[in-house]
Coordinates of all heavy atoms in Angstrom, one line a residue:
Y276 N 18.8 8.2 14.3 CA 19.7 8.4 15.5 C 20.4 7.1 15.8 O 19.7 6.1 15.9 CB 18.8 8.9 16.6 CG 19.6 9.2 17.9 CD1 20.7 10.0 17.9 CD2 19.2 8.5 19.1 CE1 21.5 10.2 19.1 CE2 19.9 8.7 20.3 CZ 21.0 9.5 20.3 OH 21.7 9.7 21.4
Q277 N 21.7 7.2 16.0 CA 22.6 6.0 16.3 C 22.9 5.1 15.1 O 23.5 4.1 15.3 CB 22.0 5.2 17.5 CG 22.1 6.0 18.8 CD 21.4 5.3 20.0 OE1 20.5 4.6 19.8 NE2 22.0 5.5 21.1
H419 N 4.9 9.7 22.3 CA 4.7 8.3 22.3 C 3.7 8.0 23.4 O 3.2 8.9 24.1 CB 6.1 7.6 22.7 CG 6.8 8.2 23.8 ND1 6.4 8.0 25.2 CD2 7.8 9.1 23.9 CE1 7.2 8.7 25.9 NE2 8.1 9.4 25.2
W441 N 9.0 12.3 17.7 CA 10.3 11.6 17.9 C 10.1 10.6 19.0 O 9.2 10.7 19.8 CB 11.4 12.5 18.0 CG 11.6 13.5 19.2 CD1 11.4 14.9 19.0 CD2 12.1 13.3 20.5 NE1 11.8 15.5 20.2 CE2 12.2 14.6 21.1 CE3 12.5 12.2 21.2 CZ2 12.6 14.8 22.5 CZ3 12.9 12.4 22.6 CH2 12.9 13.6 23.2
T442 N 11.1 9.6 19.0 CA 10.9 8.4 19.9 C 9.5 7.8 19.8 O 8.9 7.6 20.9 CB 11.4 8.5 21.3 OG1 10.7 9.6 21.9 CG2 12.8 8.7 21.5
P443 N 8.9 7.6 18.6 CA 7.5 7.2 18.6 C 7.3 5.8 19.3 O 6.2 5.6 19.7 CB 7.3 7.1 17.1 CG 8.6 6.9 16.4 CD 9.6 7.7 17.3
L444 N 8.3 5.0 19.4 CA 8.2 3.7 20.0 C 8.7 3.8 21.5 O 8.9 2.7 22.1 CB 8.9 2.6 19.2 CG 8.4 2.4 17.8 CD1 9.3 1.5 17.0 CD2 7.0 1.9 17.8
A445 N 9.0 5.0 21.9 CA 9.6 5.2 23.3 C 10.8 4.3 23.4 O 11.1 3.7 24.5 CB 8.6 4.8 24.4
R446 N 11.6 4.3 22.3 CA 12.8 3.5 22.3 C 12.6 2.1 22.8 O 13.4 1.5 23.5 CB 13.9 4.1 23.1 CG 14.4 5.4 22.4 CD 15.7 5.9 22.8 NE 16.0 7.2 22.0 CZ 16.5 8.2 22.5 NH1 17.0 8.2 23.7 NH2 16.7 9.3 21.7
Q447 N 11.4 1.5 22.5 CA 11.1 0.1 22.7 C 10.9 -0.2 24.1 O 10.6 -1.4 24.4 CB 12.3 -0.7 22.1 CG 12.1 -2.1 21.9 CD 13.4 -2.8 21.6 OE1 14.5 -2.2 21.7 NE2 13.3 -4.1 21.4
R448 N 11.1 0.7 25.1 CA 11.0 0.4 26.5 C 9.6 -0.3 26.7 O 9.0 -0.7 25.8 CB 11.2 1.6 27.3 CG 12.6 2.0 27.3 CD 13.0 3.0 28.3 NE 14.2 3.7 27.8 CZ 14.8 4.7 28.4 NH1 14.3 5.1 29.6 NH2 15.9 5.2 27.9
S449 N 9.2 -0.3 27.9 CA 8.0 -1.0 28.3 C 6.7 -0.8 27.4 O 5.8 -1.7 27.4 CB 7.6 -0.7 29.7 OG 7.7 0.7 29.9
L451 N 6.1 -1.3 24.4 CA 5.7 -2.4 23.4 C 5.3 -3.7 24.2 O 4.7 -4.6 23.6 CB 6.8 -2.7 22.4 CG 7.2 -1.6 21.5 CD1 8.3 -2.0 20.5 CD2 6.0 -0.9 20.8
L519 N 10.4 10.4 28.4 CA 11.4 9.3 28.6 C 12.6 9.6 29.4 O 13.0 8.9 30.2 CB 11.9 9.0 27.2 CG 11.3 7.9 26.3 CD1 12.1 7.7 25.1 CD2 11.1 6.6 27.1
W520 N 13.1 10.8 29.2 CA 14.3 11.3 29.9 C 14.0 12.8 30.1 O 13.0 13.3 29.7 CB 15.6 11.0 29.1 CG 15.6 11.3 27.7 CD1 15.1 10.6 26.7 CD2 16.0 12.6 27.1 NE1 15.2 11.2 25.5 CE2 15.8 12.4 25.7 CE3 16.6 13.7 27.6 CZ2 16.1 13.4 24.8 CZ3 17.0 14.7 26.6 CH2 16.7 14.6 25.3

Side-chain angles (χ1 to χ4, degrees):
Y276 178 55
Q277 291 178 327
H419 46 75
W441 63 255
T442 55
L444 301 171
R446 292 199 181 141
Q447 192 195 6
R448 288 188 203 182
S449 48
L451 300 185
L519 265 188
W520 47 276

